[in-house]
Amino acid sequence: MSALKSESQRPQSPIRFDLGYLVVLAICLLAIWPFIGRASLPQETDAELHIFRLAELSYLVRGGVFYPRWAPNFYHGYGYPIFNYYAPLTYYVGLLFEWLPGLDAVAGVKAVFVLGLLGAGFGMYGFVRDNWGRPAGYVAAAVYIYAPYVQYVDPIARGALAEAFSLGVFPLALWALDRLRRQATAVRWVTAVLLTAAVILSHNLMALLFFGLLLAWAVWQVITVGWRAANGRFLFGALFLGLGLSAFFWLPVILERNAVNLTTLIGAGDNYDYRTHFLSLTEFFTPTRRLDWGATEPVFHFNLGLAQWLLGGFGLLMLALRRVRYAAHAAFFALALAVLLFLMLPVSNFVWQAVPFLPYFQFPWRLLGAAVAMLAVLAGAGVAALLEWRAWSPQVMGGITAVAVALPLLFGLPLTQPVPWPDFGDVFPLRMSLIEHSGRWLGTTSTADYVPATVDMIPARNGDVVWGFTAGTPIDRINYPALPKGTAVTWEEINPLHFRYNIDAPEDFMFRLFLFQFPGWTVRVDGQVVEPELGRPEGFIVVPTTAGKHTIDVRFQDTPPRTLAWTVSGLALLAALIVGLRLGKRGVRRAERGMGNALLAPVDWWVLGVALGVTAVTLLILQPRNMLHYNSADYTAEPAQTRLLADFGGQIALIGYDTSAQTAQPGDMVTVTLYWQAQRPLDINYQSFLHVLSPDGVLAAQSDHLNPGDFPTRRWPTDKYVRDVHTFTLPADLPPGEYTIKTGLWVQAEGWRLPVLDAAGQQIGDGAALFSLPVAAK
């Protein structure tokens, strides 16, 4: 304890800036390097969707629509209300960069990823530093940033821009609220309100989780230290005014939830069914493995990280031994960690069934980011307790802190070198339209979510509508074949969400637009508002029109729920500013800096040296020598337990397999992973099977995949392998014996199998026997 006290008793620098932030930046460097050290961003992850959304927002804002709720160019040009329902903050942050000279939507999205990671590091450092000291802050930042889910899974493997950004905003908001709890000043008040709103505006689902955690933390402060000591009125005021400030987004989501299709967000037995995404206790502790550049989809684990467990577990131990300063404060994070871990395990299924909104999270492993944030705080508190255990010398303190910081960095090294990605290319509406036409996704979503509820059948692409994308002109959405003969129509686009049509018709008719009807579309005929009809089954806008000359004005405007939402946000902003002004005028004691000595002490230099040293060795030695990843090539799968080469019809090769069991008992579940590689471009989608055959050749169990590795074979590249994971359960009454595991490929629609060929090209069977599985009696 005395060593830490002597550190804080040094003369304070007149510089208000905490130089520890520079150390944190050095700690973060390896995590952000895949984004700043490479051009572009990967395709076929969610990042691709976010890039096109940002480009669409840029088009709308440049056209004079500053907060659009409708994306007119999506869904084959029929439009849909993605911006009314999806959290907007990341796109507006990206817009700030997209507008810079020489940058585009790809650069804007990349900047948001980088800011999210930096926010995670700085926010976690600031919060833990203010409570347990600067060395603890370094450790917490490293533990959080280099957690596999924060460092790689969310930003790179999934490309989940909004969720990854929310992982950076949450610790910043927690830090801001904690500083407000210590002392209410105008700056701290406004910062806390804005960052609370930012949490909600970052990601729909994580807003529920993180706002709930912030609210629970505030309640915990009041319970443990009392209302006055916790500055309760300001703490809860900031939380609820932040909630009110963001109402312009979330209130229409709630009030207009029935105007769109949301049922596809919840699956039943498919990828969006939460029941298929629970984790096991083993997965929490699974070590991070090297990525394979030779795989179509490199394997990663939904784990918390071994270094995170070691350091966070040490913090839990010190908390149990009552060695942690501010133990009641740290106990909140221990309890929150326990709840989050529980909710990711299958045993929590009854909770997911009982709480109506939980299934919308889709993936219980989504809670990994919040869980590792709790571990990071505990890790920092634990290291602080160790440093305070006795009067260590500055060198020993520096060594302890440096080792603790180095552990997450070293365990996270395999994820610092993801598979190289090609240039993303230019972003423009025609490219978006062609991707939609390919069927990969529609409107930057893959499950028809947020489509207007009045759309009974999603219409096919209309060449006349999308011609504007090709010509680089505004989209003409008039249904010309439905016009009466002799009708004259001219039109103009006032802005991307406002169209005007001048019509001269010889008879009464229905003016039909290739534009989805949705609350907010307002139609005026000759200046008078009219109620459009609904064109079924497509859900298009239909305007009853009489003979003669008319001007039809079609404009997207706010609805009463949206107006109410803007009013609530405006009132919340006004209240926040009034409180801020009053705090600025009243006499208050000087706010705590919460940073200790602004100059770097020996412990800071230790950490800075380790962070820069690990970074330099990684970038200059390990990465150039390809020591951090596999690089499977030439029909080999380096990670495979067993390598082989089975030629299936000269088209696909089986190059290896893994098995989870060498022996088994009746009722056991066994997983076998197959490694396939295309030998030539394929024009047929093959299906894979895995059979368990008894000694007399009778089928005892099986697993079949319509698309091996969830990847249609017609899309397989020839230079990378595909992992195909099969799981089967042995029958409970299976007799003991030696069972053969056999695999193959077939065409389900026609009922034939690909033959297995020998080195001379002669058929030797219609499947490959992998291994024998001894089954013993229970």
Short mmCIF file of all heavy atoms in Angstrom, two decimals, residues 710-749:
data_model
loop_
_atom_site.label_atom_id
_atom_site.label_comp_id
_atom_site.label_asym_id
_atom_site.label_seq_id
_atom_site.Cartn_x
_atom_site.Cartn_y
_atom_site.Cartn_z
N ASP A 710 -22.47 -25.97 -44.56
CA ASP A 710 -23.41 -24.86 -44.79
C ASP A 710 -22.94 -23.97 -45.94
O ASP A 710 -23.14 -22.75 -45.94
CB ASP A 710 -23.59 -24.02 -43.52
CG ASP A 710 -24.27 -24.80 -42.41
OD1 ASP A 710 -25.17 -25.60 -42.73
OD2 ASP A 710 -23.89 -24.60 -41.24
N PHE A 711 -22.35 -24.58 -46.96
CA PHE A 711 -21.76 -23.85 -48.07
C PHE A 711 -22.05 -24.63 -49.34
O PHE A 711 -21.46 -25.68 -49.58
CB PHE A 711 -20.24 -23.74 -47.84
CG PHE A 711 -19.53 -22.74 -48.70
CD1 PHE A 711 -20.20 -21.96 -49.62
CD2 PHE A 711 -18.16 -22.57 -48.57
CE1 PHE A 711 -19.53 -21.05 -50.40
CE2 PHE A 711 -17.47 -21.66 -49.34
CZ PHE A 711 -18.17 -20.89 -50.27
N PRO A 712 -22.99 -24.19 -50.19
CA PRO A 712 -23.32 -24.91 -51.41
C PRO A 712 -22.07 -25.21 -52.24
O PRO A 712 -21.23 -24.32 -52.47
CB PRO A 712 -24.26 -23.96 -52.15
CG PRO A 712 -24.86 -23.12 -51.07
CD PRO A 712 -23.78 -22.95 -50.05
N THR A 713 -21.94 -26.46 -52.68
CA THR A 713 -20.70 -26.87 -53.36
C THR A 713 -20.45 -26.10 -54.65
O THR A 713 -19.30 -25.97 -55.07
CB THR A 713 -20.72 -28.38 -53.64
OG1 THR A 713 -21.86 -28.69 -54.47
CG2 THR A 713 -20.82 -29.18 -52.36
N ARG A 714 -21.49 -25.59 -55.28
CA ARG A 714 -21.28 -24.82 -56.51
C ARG A 714 -20.51 -23.53 -56.26
O ARG A 714 -19.99 -22.92 -57.20
CB ARG A 714 -22.63 -24.50 -57.17
CG ARG A 714 -23.23 -25.70 -57.89
CD ARG A 714 -24.35 -25.30 -58.82
NE ARG A 714 -25.48 -24.71 -58.11
CZ ARG A 714 -26.63 -24.39 -58.70
NH1 ARG A 714 -26.79 -24.58 -59.99
NH2 ARG A 714 -27.62 -23.88 -57.99
N ARG A 715 -20.45 -23.12 -55.00
CA ARG A 715 -19.72 -21.89 -54.65
C ARG A 715 -18.35 -22.18 -54.04
O ARG A 715 -17.64 -21.26 -53.64
CB ARG A 715 -20.56 -21.05 -53.68
CG ARG A 715 -21.83 -20.50 -54.29
CD ARG A 715 -22.71 -19.81 -53.24
NE ARG A 715 -21.97 -18.83 -52.46
CZ ARG A 715 -22.36 -18.34 -51.29
NH1 ARG A 715 -23.51 -18.75 -50.77
NH2 ARG A 715 -21.63 -17.45 -50.64
N TRP A 716 -17.96 -23.44 -53.99
CA TRP A 716 -16.67 -23.77 -53.36
C TRP A 716 -15.51 -23.28 -54.22
O TRP A 716 -15.47 -23.53 -55.44
CB TRP A 716 -16.54 -25.27 -53.17
CG TRP A 716 -17.37 -25.82 -52.05
CD1 TRP A 716 -18.32 -25.18 -51.33
CD2 TRP A 716 -17.32 -27.15 -51.54
NE1 TRP A 716 -18.87 -26.01 -50.40
CE2 TRP A 716 -18.27 -27.24 -50.49
CE3 TRP A 716 -16.56 -28.27 -51.84
CZ2 TRP A 716 -18.48 -28.41 -49.76
CZ3 TRP A 716 -16.77 -29.44 -51.12
CH2 TRP A 716 -17.72 -29.50 -50.09
N PRO A 717 -14.53 -22.62 -53.62
CA PRO A 717 -13.30 -22.30 -54.37
C PRO A 717 -12.44 -23.56 -54.49
O PRO A 717 -12.66 -24.55 -53.79
CB PRO A 717 -12.63 -21.25 -53.48
CG PRO A 717 -13.08 -21.60 -52.09
CD PRO A 717 -14.49 -22.13 -52.23
N THR A 718 -11.47 -23.52 -55.34
CA THR A 718 -10.60 -24.69 -55.52
C THR A 718 -9.31 -24.59 -54.71
O THR A 718 -8.54 -25.54 -54.67
CB THR A 718 -10.24 -24.86 -57.00
OG1 THR A 718 -9.62 -23.65 -57.47
CG2 THR A 718 -11.48 -25.14 -57.83
N ASP A 719 -9.08 -23.44 -54.07
CA ASP A 719 -7.82 -23.26 -53.34
C ASP A 719 -8.00 -23.27 -51.83
O ASP A 719 -7.03 -23.05 -51.09
CB ASP A 719 -7.15 -21.96 -53.76
CG ASP A 719 -8.02 -20.74 -53.48
OD1 ASP A 719 -9.26 -20.90 -53.34
OD2 ASP A 719 -7.47 -19.62 -53.41
N LYS A 720 -9.22 -23.52 -51.33
CA LYS A 720 -9.46 -23.57 -49.90
C LYS A 720 -10.37 -24.75 -49.57
O LYS A 720 -11.21 -25.15 -50.38
CB LYS A 720 -10.12 -22.27 -49.40
CG LYS A 720 -9.24 -21.02 -49.54
CD LYS A 720 -9.96 -19.79 -49.05
CE LYS A 720 -9.14 -18.53 -49.25
NZ LYS A 720 -7.94 -18.51 -48.38
N TYR A 721 -10.20 -25.29 -48.36
CA TYR A 721 -11.04 -26.41 -47.96
C TYR A 721 -12.27 -25.94 -47.20
O TYR A 721 -12.34 -24.80 -46.74
CB TYR A 721 -10.24 -27.43 -47.12
CG TYR A 721 -9.78 -26.93 -45.76
CD1 TYR A 721 -10.66 -26.83 -44.68
CD2 TYR A 721 -8.44 -26.59 -45.55
CE1 TYR A 721 -10.24 -26.39 -43.44
CE2 TYR A 721 -8.00 -26.14 -44.30
CZ TYR A 721 -8.91 -26.05 -43.26
OH TYR A 721 -8.50 -25.60 -42.03
N VAL A 722 -13.24 -26.84 -47.08
CA VAL A 722 -14.49 -26.57 -46.38
C VAL A 722 -14.61 -27.56 -45.22
O VAL A 722 -14.47 -28.77 -45.41
CB VAL A 722 -15.70 -26.73 -47.33
CG1 VAL A 722 -17.01 -26.57 -46.56
CG2 VAL A 722 -15.62 -25.72 -48.46
N ARG A 723 -14.87 -27.02 -44.01
CA ARG A 723 -15.09 -27.86 -42.83
C ARG A 723 -16.57 -28.24 -42.76
O ARG A 723 -17.45 -27.40 -42.85
CB ARG A 723 -14.73 -27.14 -41.54
CG ARG A 723 -13.25 -26.94 -41.32
CD ARG A 723 -12.99 -26.18 -40.03
NE ARG A 723 -13.14 -27.02 -38.84
CZ ARG A 723 -14.15 -26.97 -38.01
NH1 ARG A 723 -15.15 -26.13 -38.20
NH2 ARG A 723 -14.19 -27.76 -36.94
N ASP A 724 -16.81 -29.53 -42.60
CA ASP A 724 -18.18 -30.06 -42.59
C ASP A 724 -18.36 -30.84 -41.30
O ASP A 724 -17.87 -31.98 -41.17
CB ASP A 724 -18.35 -30.96 -43.82
CG ASP A 724 -19.77 -31.46 -43.99
OD1 ASP A 724 -20.69 -30.85 -43.44
OD2 ASP A 724 -19.94 -32.49 -44.70
N VAL A 725 -19.02 -30.25 -40.32
CA VAL A 725 -19.13 -30.83 -38.98
C VAL A 725 -20.41 -31.66 -38.86
O VAL A 725 -21.52 -31.12 -39.02
CB VAL A 725 -19.11 -29.74 -37.90
CG1 VAL A 725 -19.18 -30.36 -36.51
CG2 VAL A 725 -17.86 -28.88 -38.04
N HIS A 726 -20.26 -32.95 -38.61
CA HIS A 726 -21.39 -33.86 -38.44
C HIS A 726 -21.46 -34.34 -36.99
O HIS A 726 -20.44 -34.69 -36.40
CB HIS A 726 -21.24 -35.09 -39.35
CG HIS A 726 -21.44 -34.80 -40.81
ND1 HIS A 726 -22.61 -35.06 -41.46
CD2 HIS A 726 -20.59 -34.28 -41.73
CE1 HIS A 726 -22.50 -34.71 -42.73
NE2 HIS A 726 -21.27 -34.23 -42.92
N THR A 727 -22.65 -34.34 -36.45
CA THR A 727 -22.87 -34.85 -35.09
C THR A 727 -23.98 -35.89 -35.13
O THR A 727 -25.02 -35.67 -35.75
CB THR A 727 -23.26 -33.70 -34.14
OG1 THR A 727 -22.21 -32.73 -34.11
CG2 THR A 727 -23.48 -34.23 -32.73
N PHE A 728 -23.72 -37.03 -34.51
CA PHE A 728 -24.74 -38.08 -34.46
C PHE A 728 -24.79 -38.65 -33.05
O PHE A 728 -23.82 -38.56 -32.27
CB PHE A 728 -24.45 -39.19 -35.48
CG PHE A 728 -23.10 -39.86 -35.32
CD1 PHE A 728 -22.94 -40.93 -34.45
CD2 PHE A 728 -22.00 -39.40 -36.04
CE1 PHE A 728 -21.70 -41.54 -34.29
CE2 PHE A 728 -20.76 -40.01 -35.88
CZ PHE A 728 -20.61 -41.08 -35.02
N THR A 729 -25.94 -39.20 -32.72
CA THR A 729 -26.14 -39.84 -31.41
C THR A 729 -26.33 -41.33 -31.61
O THR A 729 -27.16 -41.76 -32.41
CB THR A 729 -27.36 -39.25 -30.70
OG1 THR A 729 -27.17 -37.83 -30.54
CG2 THR A 729 -27.56 -39.89 -29.34
N LEU A 730 -25.54 -42.12 -30.89
CA LEU A 730 -25.66 -43.57 -30.98
C LEU A 730 -26.95 -44.03 -30.28
O LEU A 730 -27.29 -43.50 -29.21
CB LEU A 730 -24.46 -44.25 -30.33
CG LEU A 730 -23.10 -43.95 -30.99
CD1 LEU A 730 -21.97 -44.57 -30.17
CD2 LEU A 730 -23.07 -44.48 -32.41
N PRO A 731 -27.68 -44.95 -30.87
CA PRO A 731 -28.91 -45.44 -30.23
C PRO A 731 -28.63 -45.99 -28.83
O PRO A 731 -27.57 -46.57 -28.56
CB PRO A 731 -29.39 -46.55 -31.18
CG PRO A 731 -28.78 -46.20 -32.50
CD PRO A 731 -27.45 -45.58 -32.19
N ALA A 732 -29.59 -45.79 -27.93
CA ALA A 732 -29.41 -46.24 -26.54
C ALA A 732 -29.31 -47.75 -26.43
O ALA A 732 -28.71 -48.27 -25.47
CB ALA A 732 -30.57 -45.72 -25.69
N ASP A 733 -29.88 -48.49 -27.39
CA ASP A 733 -29.85 -49.96 -27.34
C ASP A 733 -28.84 -50.55 -28.31
O ASP A 733 -28.94 -51.72 -28.69
CB ASP A 733 -31.24 -50.52 -27.65
CG ASP A 733 -31.77 -50.05 -29.00
OD1 ASP A 733 -31.10 -49.18 -29.62
OD2 ASP A 733 -32.81 -50.55 -29.44
N LEU A 734 -27.86 -49.75 -28.72
CA LEU A 734 -26.87 -50.22 -29.68
C LEU A 734 -26.02 -51.33 -29.08
O LEU A 734 -25.42 -51.16 -28.01
CB LEU A 734 -25.98 -49.06 -30.12
CG LEU A 734 -25.05 -49.31 -31.30
CD1 LEU A 734 -25.87 -49.49 -32.58
CD2 LEU A 734 -24.07 -48.16 -31.46
N PRO A 735 -25.91 -52.49 -29.75
CA PRO A 735 -25.08 -53.59 -29.22
C PRO A 735 -23.60 -53.22 -29.25
O PRO A 735 -23.16 -52.44 -30.10
CB PRO A 735 -25.38 -54.75 -30.18
CG PRO A 735 -26.63 -54.37 -30.88
CD PRO A 735 -26.64 -52.88 -30.96
N PRO A 736 -22.80 -53.77 -28.35
CA PRO A 736 -21.35 -53.53 -28.39
C PRO A 736 -20.76 -54.08 -29.68
O PRO A 736 -21.31 -54.99 -30.30
CB PRO A 736 -20.83 -54.29 -27.17
CG PRO A 736 -22.02 -54.50 -26.30
CD PRO A 736 -23.20 -54.61 -27.21
N GLY A 737 -19.64 -53.50 -30.09
CA GLY A 737 -18.98 -53.98 -31.29
C GLY A 737 -18.14 -52.90 -31.94
O GLY A 737 -18.03 -51.77 -31.45
N GLU A 738 -17.51 -53.27 -33.08
CA GLU A 738 -16.70 -52.34 -33.86
C GLU A 738 -17.57 -51.77 -34.99
O GLU A 738 -18.00 -52.51 -35.88
CB GLU A 738 -15.49 -53.07 -34.45
CG GLU A 738 -14.45 -53.49 -33.43
CD GLU A 738 -13.54 -52.33 -33.02
OE1 GLU A 738 -13.43 -51.36 -33.81
OE2 GLU A 738 -12.97 -52.39 -31.92
N TYR A 739 -17.77 -50.48 -34.96
CA TYR A 739 -18.62 -49.83 -35.95
C TYR A 739 -17.76 -49.00 -36.90
O TYR A 739 -16.81 -48.33 -36.46
CB TYR A 739 -19.66 -48.96 -35.26
CG TYR A 739 -20.73 -49.77 -34.56
CD1 TYR A 739 -20.49 -50.35 -33.31
CD2 TYR A 739 -21.96 -50.01 -35.17
CE1 TYR A 739 -21.46 -51.11 -32.67
CE2 TYR A 739 -22.94 -50.76 -34.55
CZ TYR A 739 -22.68 -51.32 -33.30
OH TYR A 739 -23.64 -52.09 -32.68
N THR A 740 -18.10 -49.04 -38.16
CA THR A 740 -17.34 -48.32 -39.19
C THR A 740 -17.99 -46.98 -39.47
O THR A 740 -19.21 -46.90 -39.66
CB THR A 740 -17.28 -49.13 -40.50
OG1 THR A 740 -16.64 -50.39 -40.25
CG2 THR A 740 -16.51 -48.37 -41.57
N ILE A 741 -17.18 -45.94 -39.47
CA ILE A 741 -17.65 -44.59 -39.80
C ILE A 741 -17.31 -44.34 -41.27
O ILE A 741 -16.15 -44.36 -41.67
CB ILE A 741 -16.99 -43.52 -38.92
CG1 ILE A 741 -17.14 -43.88 -37.43
CG2 ILE A 741 -17.60 -42.15 -39.20
CD1 ILE A 741 -18.56 -44.02 -36.96
N LYS A 742 -18.33 -44.11 -42.06
CA LYS A 742 -18.18 -43.97 -43.51
C LYS A 742 -18.83 -42.67 -43.97
O LYS A 742 -19.88 -42.27 -43.45
CB LYS A 742 -18.83 -45.16 -44.22
CG LYS A 742 -18.71 -45.15 -45.73
CD LYS A 742 -19.38 -46.39 -46.34
CE LYS A 742 -19.28 -46.40 -47.85
NZ LYS A 742 -19.92 -47.60 -48.44
N THR A 743 -18.21 -42.04 -44.95
CA THR A 743 -18.75 -40.79 -45.47
C THR A 743 -18.76 -40.79 -46.99
O THR A 743 -18.10 -41.61 -47.64
CB THR A 743 -17.94 -39.58 -44.97
OG1 THR A 743 -18.62 -38.38 -45.32
CG2 THR A 743 -16.55 -39.55 -45.61
N GLY A 744 -19.54 -39.87 -47.55
CA GLY A 744 -19.59 -39.74 -49.00
C GLY A 744 -20.41 -38.54 -49.41
O GLY A 744 -20.89 -37.76 -48.59
N LEU A 745 -20.55 -38.40 -50.73
CA LEU A 745 -21.29 -37.29 -51.32
C LEU A 745 -22.32 -37.83 -52.28
O LEU A 745 -22.08 -38.83 -52.97
CB LEU A 745 -20.34 -36.34 -52.06
CG LEU A 745 -19.28 -35.63 -51.19
CD1 LEU A 745 -18.15 -35.10 -52.06
CD2 LEU A 745 -19.92 -34.48 -50.42
N TRP A 746 -23.47 -37.18 -52.34
CA TRP A 746 -24.50 -37.65 -53.24
C TRP A 746 -25.37 -36.49 -53.68
O TRP A 746 -25.26 -35.37 -53.16
CB TRP A 746 -25.34 -38.75 -52.57
CG TRP A 746 -26.20 -38.30 -51.41
CD1 TRP A 746 -25.79 -37.59 -50.32
CD2 TRP A 746 -27.59 -38.52 -51.22
NE1 TRP A 746 -26.82 -37.38 -49.45
CE2 TRP A 746 -27.96 -37.95 -49.98
CE3 TRP A 746 -28.58 -39.18 -51.96
CZ2 TRP A 746 -29.26 -37.98 -49.49
CZ3 TRP A 746 -29.87 -39.23 -51.47
CH2 TRP A 746 -30.19 -38.63 -50.25
N VAL A 747 -26.22 -36.76 -54.67
CA VAL A 747 -27.18 -35.77 -55.15
C VAL A 747 -28.56 -36.24 -54.72
O VAL A 747 -29.11 -37.21 -55.25
CB VAL A 747 -27.12 -35.62 -56.69
CG1 VAL A 747 -28.17 -34.60 -57.16
CG2 VAL A 747 -25.73 -35.19 -57.13
N GLN A 748 -29.09 -35.56 -53.73
CA GLN A 748 -30.34 -36.01 -53.10
C GLN A 748 -31.50 -36.04 -54.09
O GLN A 748 -32.31 -36.97 -54.10
CB GLN A 748 -30.67 -35.08 -51.94
CG GLN A 748 -31.88 -35.49 -51.13
CD GLN A 748 -32.16 -34.51 -50.00
OE1 GLN A 748 -32.07 -33.30 -50.17
NE2 GLN A 748 -32.48 -35.03 -48.82
N ALA A 749 -31.59 -35.05 -54.97
CA ALA A 749 -32.72 -34.96 -55.89
C ALA A 749 -32.75 -36.10 -56.88
O ALA A 749 -33.83 -36.50 -57.36
CB ALA A 749 -32.67 -33.62 -56.62
#
